Amino acid sequence: QVQLVESGGGLVQPGGSLRLSCTTSGRIFSIDAMGWYRQAPGKQRESVASMISGGSINYSDSVKGRFTISRDSAKNTWYLQMNSLEPEDTAVYYCNLRGRYYYGSGYSVVRGFDSWGQGTQVTVSS
């Protein structure tokens, strides 16, 4: 299967910046979409940013102009650069990756996957 490990969360003052990382492991055949989500206490999980195969990128209205999603293929890592953070950005952030991976020990069988990271806490407070 494909596993995701997140890092980079923490406590930051309003107006500050953080960069979240999501490192993948596993024998990935192809990627359909990658996304960052967040869930604040008492609220539903919401999409923050997404990158679709082919390069299309979308941001929620609440983070547009402040957050940037990117990828370093050589490091198998995805990033979410968060600038001008606001208290309303406080949440647990999750990365999600969907695609296909090589099943078993060979390269003849591929299966779909839909994997989530463990989540990382981002707290914006003075």
Side-chain angles (χ1 to χ4, degrees):
Q1 262 282 12
V2 176
Q3 295 183 329
L4 311 181
V5 177
E6 300 178 36
S7 61
L11 173 64
V12 64
Q13 292 186 343
S17 298
L18 282 175
R19 188 178 76 162
L20 305 183
S21 300
C22 177
T23 300
T24 67
S25 63
R27 303 197 310 148
I28 295 175
F29 171 74
S30 64
I31 294 173
D32 295 330
M34 189 280 169
W36 287 96
Y37 295 75
R38 67 186 181 187
Q39 187 166 18
K43 295 187 176 181
Q44 290 187 333
R45 189 173 298 188
E46 63 173 351
S47 174
V48 173
S50 63
M51 180 181 290
I52 309 300
S53 175
S56 175
I57 295 175
N58 291 284
Y59 298 97
S60 66
D61 288 342
S62 61
V63 308
K64 198 172 295 183
R66 300 187 298 122
F67 290 11
T68 303
I69 187 173
S70 63
R71 176 188 184 185
D72 186 334
S73 300
K75 296 182 179 180
N76 297 321
T77 300
W78 300 77
Y79 301 99
L80 183 68
Q81 178 67 43
M82 305 185 295
N83 299 328
S84 302
L85 283 162
E86 304 167 353
E88 293 73 24
D89 296 317
T90 295
V92 177
Y93 284 71
Y94 300 89
C95 59
N96 171 258
L97 193 67
R98 302 197 308 271
R100 294 165 182 81
Y101 72 102
Y102 292 106
Y103 177 79
S105 59
Y107 292 91
S108 59
V109 180
V110 296
R111 289 189 176 178
F113 72 90
D114 184 347
S115 298
W116 290 87
Q118 81 282 7
T120 185
Q121 176 70 47
V122 172
T123 303
V124 185
S125 175
S126 56

